[in-house]
Amino acid sequence: MYGIDAVYLAFNCEPALLENAVEAMRSLNFMGFNVTIPHKQNVLKYLDFIDPEAKLIGAVNTVKIENGKLYGYNTDGSGFVGSLRHQNIAIKDKKVLVLGAGGSARSICTYLAVEGAKSISILNRTQHNAELLINHLIASKCDTKFDLSKPINIYYEKYDIIINTTSVGMWPDTNFTPLQGFPFCSTDIVVDIIYNPLETELLKNAAQMGAFTMNGLQMLAGQAVKAIEIFTRVAVEHDFAVNILFNS
Ligand code: ATR
């Protein structure tokens, strides 16, 4: 449909062999590659250029090879923001609650801040990890206000957007939700980055109370669209990527 003459393949790579794998792809003149856990941070030292936002996040998941040089990007957060944009959800001046403080939360929070979120509250099982994330975000010197949320506080606050980045509710433990008994309302936007199942317990509860919900497939599609654009400079439709992911 887009006339892209390319093939996308998956390879396993032992951490100790990452440099060899990267140099092999450079030598063979690959168009580019994606990296995932556990290589997202380790790959940084083999790259020639790192996009400013990927630098801010401290991790790369997409590498473009051009004229023998390696250019690193992070499409986790931009894919997420792109999927919200696709649903006409604006981030500017919004009050956001983020559940979790891992790698996904770091990418997403960085982009929410870049897009002008008014405030981001982080709620995490391990408070120390939330503090580390907040310190990292504060160092980015953007205008967004960051704070650590306590479980009890969230029931008294009103957030515009609630985002789950934890694995709570993911298959096979699909009966769990990170927000037990939370009073959602019809103006809430609730996003879960989990895509297995497509409707987590969290999204089910939120939808039952009239909230707008979005699942992780949209973020995955947003990341794919962004990566294809980086590799090929072709702008692929978001829904085209959603259909491929949904039917695969
Ligand atoms: P990812 O790259 O997908 O973000 P990660 O970096 O391992 O994965 O982060 C997982 C997040 O889910 C963390 O915030 C983790 O909380 P801790 O910092 O306390 O480990 C959270 N998480 C994972 N399992 C959880 C559970 N059963 N209950 C609550 N939080 C959980």
Side-chain angles (χ1 to χ4, degrees):
M1 176 178 177
Y2 289 96
I4 300 170
D5 184 13
V7 60
Y8 190 88
L9 301 168
F11 298 97
N12 268 328
C13 176
E14 289 300 321
L17 295 176
L18 181 62
E19 184 175 9
N20 293 15
V22 168
E23 288 311 320
M25 288 187 276
R26 190 205 298 264
S27 307
L28 295 171
N29 204 20
F30 275 37
M31 199 180 252
F33 56 93
N34 289 114
V35 287
T36 187
I37 293 167
H39 304 306
K40 284 185 182 183
Q41 279 149 17
N42 296 339
V43 78
L44 291 172
K45 54 182 172 288
Y46 306 123
L47 306 180
D48 299 297
F49 302 98
I50 300 164
D51 170 70
E53 264 111 32
K55 221 178 249 179
L56 218 54
I57 294 165
V60 153
N61 72 340
T62 303
V63 178
K64 162 92 176 149
I65 304 177
E66 206 160 29
N67 301 322
K69 297 274 187 248
L70 303 175
Y71 299 77
Y73 302 86
N74 190 311
T75 65
D76 289 340
S78 57
F80 179 79
V81 166
S83 58
L84 287 183
R85 203 175 288 133
H86 182 71
Q87 304 283 348
N88 290 323
I89 298 168
I91 293 159
K92 189 151 177 51
D93 298 327
K94 292 285 160 61
K95 196 170 162 183
V96 187
L97 172 66
V98 173
L99 310 174
S104 304
R106 183 191 276 227
S107 308
I108 288 171
C109 290
T110 300
Y111 265 84
L112 291 173
V114 167
E115 294 281 319
K118 181 177 168 195
S119 67
I120 300 176
S121 302
I122 314 269
L123 176 65
N124 193 46
R125 175 179 61 179
T126 310
Q127 187 168 321
H128 177 65
N129 292 342
E131 284 165 1
L132 289 178
L133 175 59
I134 287 173
N135 289 340
H136 173 86
L137 293 167
I138 288 171
S140 68
K141 294 192 165 50
C142 55
D143 294 333
T144 304
K145 185 175 158 286
F146 301 103
D147 65 58
L148 184 76
S149 192
K150 295 248 164 56
I152 190 72
N153 294 351
I154 60 169
Y155 292 85
Y156 300 104
E157 288 284 341
K158 174 80 188 83
Y159 301 99
D160 300 307
I161 306 176
I162 298 172
I163 303 163
N164 177 41
T165 73
T166 77
S167 48
V168 181
M170 193 190 284
W171 191 88
D173 299 315
T174 53
N175 288 333
F176 291 94
T177 165
L179 287 182
Q180 195 66 52
F182 191 81
F184 295 105
C185 68
S186 60
T187 55
D188 289 343
I189 294 165
V190 183
V191 185
D192 202 326
I193 71 165
I194 292 173
Y195 50 86
N196 183 15
L198 286 175
E199 190 179 47
T200 55
E201 193 64 20
L202 171 74
L203 295 190
K204 216 179 283 175
N205 293 342
Q208 274 164 2
M209 294 182 214
F212 176 87
T213 62
M214 194 174 96
N215 65 35
L217 199 70
Q218 299 292 333
M219 175 176 169
L220 206 60
Q223 290 172 345
V225 164
K226 192 75 198 161
I228 294 169
E229 198 180 310
I230 289 168
F231 293 145
T232 67
R233 298 206 173 86
V234 174
V236 171
E237 286 286 323
H238 184 88
D239 287 337
F240 178 76
V242 170
N243 283 336
I244 289 177
L245 290 169
F246 195 75
N247 294 313
S248 62

